[in-house]
Amino acid sequence: SGDLQGALADADAALKIKPGLVLVYVTRSLVKAALKDFSGQIRDFKEAARLSPALAGSLDKREPRR
């Protein structure tokens, strides 16, 4: 258990400085999931995938969950 609100604030600050940081979007999406902000998680992950087509492509190759 960490400081999720602090992690979220750090990610927000990093994106204000440099908006195109894909890993920050991925990290922030995970933090938002832990905070049960699922719509925010999806938005951040979609932005990460938009910024990094390789990330989006790797998701297409996953096996479906059962």
Side-chain angles (χ1 to χ4, degrees):
S1 71
D3 177 12
L4 295 174
Q5 292 298 333
L8 190 59
D10 289 348
D12 291 343
L15 290 170
K16 283 183 183 178
I17 295 167
K18 191 163 184 181
L21 296 172
V22 174
L23 290 178
V24 176
Y25 278 105
V26 172
T27 300
R28 192 170 74 170
S29 77
L30 296 172
V31 171
K32 287 181 177 181
L35 292 169
K36 300 192 184 323
D37 174 9
F38 301 115
S39 61
Q41 175 198 17
I42 292 167
R43 268 192 316 275
D44 280 351
F45 201 82
K46 283 184 176 181
E47 182 62 11
R50 184 187 73 77
L51 291 168
S52 176
L55 175 64
S58 69
L59 292 176
D60 291 339
K61 295 176 182 141
R62 292 184 316 161
E63 291 186 30
R65 287 187 177 186
R66 297 173 196 235

